[in-house]
Amino acid sequence: MNDMTTPWHKSSYSNEAGTCVEVREGPNTLVRDNQNPHLDVLGFPTRAWADFLSGIRAN
């Protein structure tokens, strides 16, 4: 479970139109749609999220 006091932050890959995802980091990394924050979030183990970011940065 994530620390609910950890703030959401906007992805650095956000576009100028404001369409983006927001991320909350903690024991698990949570990801949500910034335009629909009331909808469900996706959760990833921290290591899996780090591997994902590493993969997209390599491309």
Side-chain angles (χ1 to χ4, degrees):
M1 176 147 238
N2 278 52
D3 176 2
M4 298 307 287
T5 62
T6 303
W8 289 94
H9 64 276
K10 197 178 285 192
S11 167
S12 61
Y13 293 96
S14 300
N15 66 28
E16 292 178 17
T19 305
C20 68
V21 296
E22 293 178 321
V23 177
R24 176 183 274 166
E25 298 167 326
N28 289 298
T29 299
L30 302 179
V31 181
R32 71 180 182 186
D33 178 348
N34 76 315
Q35 294 184 339
N36 296 289
H38 58 284
L39 297 178
D40 289 339
V41 300
L42 298 174
F44 301 92
T46 301
R47 182 75 239 160
W49 183 251
D51 290 345
F52 169 73
L53 292 178
S54 178
I56 61 172
R57 287 179 181 137
N59 289 319

